[in-house]
Amino acid sequence: MQFVGDELEKLALGNGDVTNADLLGRSAFNRYYYAAFLKTRETLGLMQESWRGTAHANIPQLLEEGLKGPAQHALNRMVRAKLIDQGDKARILRDLNITANGLAQLLREAYDARLIADYQPEIKTERENDLIKLKSYKLTTAKEWPSRANQLCARLLKIWKEFSIV
Amino acid sequence: MFDLSFIKSHPEIQREYFISDMNFREADNTLVLYVPIESVVEKVQSGFVSVKQLEAFQKKLTEKYSVQTQVIFTPSDKFNDIAQATELLLKANFKDLLEEVDFTFLSAEKVNVWIKITSIETEQQKKVESFINSTLSGSGFSVFDFQWVKDESKLPSAIDILLAIKLYQPLKLDKFIDYFSRQYSDVNSKWLNRQLDKLIKRKLVVRDKVSEAYSLTGVGLGVIPQRIGRGSFDIARALDLGRRKW
C-alpha cells in the first residue's frame, strides 16, 4: 500500500492535467490510510483474536476505551501473584493509554482524509510547488502515516506483551 | 444533509473556538471541526480554547443537530521545528545514552516524549527529563508525559516462562533453554534459574526434587491469560501431550 501511495504521488506531481492530478493525489491519500489501518487491525488481532475484524470507524474508540479492561484484568492477576507491584501496573497502564491514544489520533486524522478523498470529490486537492494538500492534510504527512502506525503498533505490542501473550 | 451555514454565518463562534475550517461528512453523518493545535490548551485561559471547552461545544452541536462531531487538531510546522531542534540538542548532550526520541504534541502546553535509551538509571533519566523540561518550557510547554523504553529486551517475560511450563510441563532446565533460545538470544541457565526461583518463592511454580522438572501450581495457572479459539494454549498443550505419546 505504501509503495502504491508513493507511486500515485509521483504520478500526481508529474501529471499536468488538473483533473487527473487530483484523482491521483486523492488515491494516494486513500492508500496511505489503508496501509496504516491494515497494520493497526493486524496488531489488534494479535492482541486479542476478537479484535481482528474491527471496522474502520470503531478502531479509534477500541484503542481509546477497549484495551483498558482486559489490560487491568491481566495486570490485577499479576499484582495478586506478586509478579509486579502497583507501581509497575500504573506505569504499564499509563504507557498503554498514551500509545493507544496516539494511534487512535493518527487513525482518526487519516480516516478523515480518506473519507474526504473518496466521498467528497467536490473538495479538490491543491498544489503548492511539490506539495499536494487535501483540506489541511499534506500528502507528505500522509506518506508518514504507515511508518508512524508501524512504530506505534510495535510499541503497543511491546507493552501488551508485558502482561499478555501475543 | 447538515447545513454548515449556521456556523459559517456566526464568525464569533468560529473565533471563540478557534475553528479554522469545518466539513460535514455525509458518509458517516459527522461534522468535523478543524482547530490548530497551537490554539489548544489544557485549562481555560484567555487567547486559547481548552480541550474541555471543545468537548462541551461538541456536545451542544450533537444535541442541537443530531450529528456526530469530531475535532481534529491540525498540526503545527512550528512545533515540528521545535521537536527537531530539541532532538538534535538531546542527541548532542546525551550521545551515549539516547537511542531514539519522539515528540507528540497534544496541545500548545502538553507534549508526550517517548525515549529509547541504552540503560535505565534514575539519575540519568532525571537529567534528560530536566533538560527537556527546560528546553521546551521556553516555547510554552509545561505538561510532559515521559515514556521510557530500554533497548529491546532479549529475555522472556515472567508470563512467557509460565506459558512455556503450561505448554510443556513437566519441563527441565535444558528443555527450557532449547525452547527460549530460538526467540531470546540472551537466555542462559543462570538467568533462567534465578527467574524460576523467584516464581517458586511466589508459589507459582514447583520443582520436583527427583526429576528436577518444573510444573505450574494452581495459582501459576491462574496468572496466564486465556486464549480462546485456534490459538488456545490448552489445545497446544493437548497436542504436545499427544506428540509425546505417539
Side-chain angles (χ1 to χ4, degrees):
Chain A
M1 297 277 179
Q2 170 92 54
F3 168 75
V4 175
D6 293 346
E7 294 302 301
L8 285 166
E9 184 191 16
K10 285 180 205 163
L11 287 169
L13 288 169
N15 198 301
D17 182 280
V18 169
T19 305
N20 290 340
D22 174 64
L23 291 171
L24 289 162
R26 53 200 323 123
S27 288
F29 277 102
N30 174 290
R31 292 296 89 190
Y32 289 139
Y33 162 73
Y34 268 97
F37 160 72
L38 288 172
K39 181 62 190 177
T40 307
R41 200 170 66 167
E42 178 200 333
T43 302
L44 288 169
L46 288 173
M47 289 158 65
Q48 196 157 295
E49 212 160 313
S50 60
W51 292 338
R52 193 174 296 280
T54 307
H56 294 264
N58 297 339
I59 286 185
Q61 193 177 4
L62 171 61
L63 287 165
E64 286 167 342
E65 295 166 21
L67 307 188
K68 282 179 220 169
Q72 269 176 331
H73 187 60
L75 288 166
N76 285 341
R77 268 204 306 254
M78 289 176 76
V79 167
R80 279 196 297 274
K82 296 190 173 64
L83 281 171
I84 58 171
D85 60 29
Q86 291 286 358
D88 292 324
K89 175 187 159 187
R91 174 192 57 80
I92 293 168
L93 282 174
R94 195 178 136 269
D95 283 351
L96 183 71
N97 192 43
I98 291 171
T99 307
N101 283 350
L103 187 54
Q105 188 185 329
L106 179 142
L107 283 171
R108 268 209 179 91
E109 289 170 13
Y111 186 59
D112 182 48
R114 177 245 159 177
L115 285 184
I116 295 170
D118 286 353
Y119 298 113
Q120 292 185 274
E122 71 278 11
I123 300 176
K124 301 293 180 199
T125 54
E126 291 163 20
R127 176 92 176 257
E128 288 170 16
N129 297 317
D130 281 343
L131 178 62
I132 295 171
K133 282 178 74 170
L134 182 61
K135 276 261 182 207
S136 60
Y137 299 107
K138 298 178 188 174
L139 196 51
T140 44
T141 307
K143 201 183 178 79
E144 287 165 22
W145 289 336
S147 58
R148 185 86 184 129
N150 282 348
Q151 209 177 42
L152 290 168
C153 284
R155 289 181 202 174
L156 198 60
L157 269 182
K158 189 173 156 64
I159 297 166
W160 200 257
K161 278 182 191 177
E162 290 197 61
F163 55 86
S164 189
I165 314 289
V166 169
Chain B
M1 178 176 154
F2 177 79
D3 189 355
L4 287 170
S5 62
F6 170 73
I7 301 179
K8 284 187 171 168
S9 64
H10 288 81
E12 70 279 7
I13 294 178
Q14 291 177 71
R15 272 197 304 273
E16 183 182 350
Y17 294 101
F18 291 83
I19 299 167
S20 60
D21 197 0
M22 62 196 102
N23 184 36
F24 180 69
R25 295 191 319 224
E26 268 188 66
D28 60 350
N29 196 44
T30 301
L31 171 63
V32 182
L33 306 170
Y34 299 92
V35 177
I37 194 159
E38 289 186 44
S39 308
V40 182
V41 289
E42 299 302 302
K43 287 184 183 163
V44 175
Q45 54 177 286
S46 169
F48 296 90
V49 63
S50 75
V51 175
K52 279 206 159 42
Q53 282 174 315
L54 284 167
E55 284 170 2
F57 182 54
Q58 281 180 265
K59 201 174 165 194
K60 271 190 226 171
L61 287 170
T62 299
E63 281 165 2
K64 186 166 177 157
Y65 299 105
S66 302
V67 289
Q68 293 181 91
T69 59
Q70 204 172 87
V71 170
I72 301 244
F73 294 151
T74 55
S76 161
D77 288 339
K78 175 180 151 191
F79 286 3
N80 288 341
D81 290 342
I82 290 172
Q84 281 177 27
T86 310
E87 187 179 342
L88 281 171
L89 285 169
L90 274 168
K91 285 182 174 168
N93 283 277
F94 299 95
K95 206 165 33 176
D96 295 327
L97 178 66
L98 281 182
E99 290 210 15
E100 233 178 292
V101 64
D102 183 43
F103 297 91
T104 305
F105 297 98
L106 304 173
S107 71
E109 295 176 313
K110 189 172 178 180
V111 57
N112 168 238
V113 188
W114 182 90
I115 309 171
K116 190 173 173 189
I117 51 174
T118 51
S119 68
I120 294 184
E121 283 175 33
T122 314
E123 271 315 304
Q124 290 281 54
Q125 261 184 248
K126 282 184 184 166
K127 280 184 186 168
V128 173
E129 284 184 14
S130 172
F131 184 90
I132 292 172
N133 261 305
S134 60
T135 307
L136 290 181
S137 61
S139 301
F141 296 99
S142 57
V143 183
F144 300 92
D145 270 336
F146 288 99
Q147 281 180 284
W148 290 93
V149 174
K150 208 182 130 185
D151 199 4
E152 281 304 320
S153 174
K154 298 184 180 66
L155 294 167
S157 65
I159 294 281
D160 290 328
I161 295 172
L162 291 171
L163 179 62
I165 301 174
K166 176 174 178 170
L167 290 175
Y168 303 113
Q169 63 187 343
L171 192 55
K172 288 187 179 184
L173 199 63
D174 57 341
K175 294 292 178 206
F176 254 119
I177 306 282
D178 266 347
Y179 174 77
F180 281 128
S181 60
R182 280 170 256 153
Q183 282 180 75
Y184 299 101
S185 52
D186 286 355
V187 165
N188 58 59
S189 55
K190 189 176 169 187
W191 179 86
L192 199 45
N193 254 321
R194 262 204 318 270
Q195 305 313 308
L196 288 164
D197 283 345
K198 285 182 197 171
L199 295 174
I200 290 171
K201 273 195 189 129
R202 290 181 178 110
K203 299 187 183 0
L204 304 175
V205 168
V206 288
R207 182 172 176 272
D208 186 88
K209 283 181 186 160
V210 173
S211 65
E212 295 181 346
Y214 296 86
S215 302
L216 289 180
T217 63
V219 178
L221 189 62
V223 174
I224 300 171
Q226 284 303 309
R227 215 183 208 172
I228 299 158
R230 277 179 291 170
S232 160
F233 302 131
D234 295 319
I235 292 174
R237 168 70 179 161
L239 287 171
D240 179 68
L241 285 171
R243 266 183 230 113
R244 288 191 217 182
K245 191 174 174 68
W246 306 319

